[in-house]
Amino acid sequence: MVLDEKIADISEDYLPAKDEEFMGAKMREFFRQKLLGWRKELTQEYTQAVLTLQDQTHNESDPNDRATSEVDMRMTMRAMDRARKLINKIDEALLRIKNGTYGYCEQTDDPIEVARLEARPVATLCFKAQEALERIEKVHRD
């Protein structure tokens, strides 16, 4: 993925300000760096999980040990699946930064709140749209 192109120079202690231009160069660079760092962490965790699974492939003769190994293996596989899905979402967010659509709600085209993006950098919906989606999901669940 060729998304290593720096958008702007920012200091290590830079934080987006409420009064700055929404998704200006500095803000985009801030989120790009945040996403790349998160992606790097997840990739390392994923690689470690793969190595753990490879180590767990030996057969246990004791049924209790085998059951414990199987539970550990399932948990590791679930963690790997979550990491893989999140890495895909991060890649999509990085592409949105590159094409200029990052930070805008997919449903309303309104800006997504900066605080929401800081908490969930892969967010694609503004707070209102996310709340509406969750209400619909709750109705269908109940």
Side-chain angles (χ1 to χ4, degrees):
M1 174 168 296
V2 183
L3 296 172
D4 293 334
E5 296 175 24
K6 193 179 218 182
I7 300 168
D9 288 323
I10 57 172
S11 63
E12 286 186 29
D13 61 341
Y14 167 84
L15 289 173
K18 290 181 181 182
D19 61 342
E20 78 179 273
E21 175 191 0
F22 183 75
M23 285 305 142
K26 285 186 175 187
M27 192 179 291
R28 286 193 328 270
E29 180 62 20
F30 170 79
F31 284 110
R32 187 186 75 81
Q33 287 182 14
K34 186 174 189 125
L35 288 160
L36 287 171
W38 194 13
R39 188 183 196 291
K40 183 178 179 181
E41 286 175 28
L42 286 168
T43 302
Q44 290 170 343
E45 289 173 18
Y46 188 89
T47 302
Q48 184 58 47
V50 168
L51 295 173
T52 300
L53 278 178
Q54 289 172 347
D55 288 344
Q56 292 178 347
T57 57
H58 59 281
N59 289 328
E60 302 285 346
S61 58
D62 180 59
N64 291 327
D65 290 342
R66 192 174 327 123
T68 300
S69 290
E70 288 176 11
V71 168
D72 289 346
M73 191 177 299
R74 279 192 214 112
M75 288 176 54
T76 301
M77 289 173 69
R78 260 188 254 133
M80 287 174 61
D81 191 48
R82 279 193 302 273
R84 180 187 54 78
K85 288 177 182 175
L86 194 46
I87 289 168
N88 287 338
K89 286 183 179 186
I90 290 169
D91 288 344
E92 291 168 4
L94 289 166
L95 285 172
R96 287 193 306 276
I97 287 174
K98 187 174 183 171
N99 70 24
T101 60
Y102 181 81
Y104 293 92
C105 180
E106 287 182 343
Q107 288 185 357
T108 66
D109 288 328
D110 292 335
I112 298 173
E113 301 79 6
V114 173
R116 176 165 168 69
L117 289 171
E118 285 185 88
R120 182 96 176 131
V122 294
T124 59
L125 299 174
C126 64
F127 187 72
K128 282 186 197 178
Q130 183 67 42
E131 273 188 329
L133 177 67
E134 289 173 5
R135 277 194 301 274
I136 291 168
E137 288 174 350
K138 186 176 189 279
V139 167
H140 290 311
R141 224 178 319 139
D142 294 341

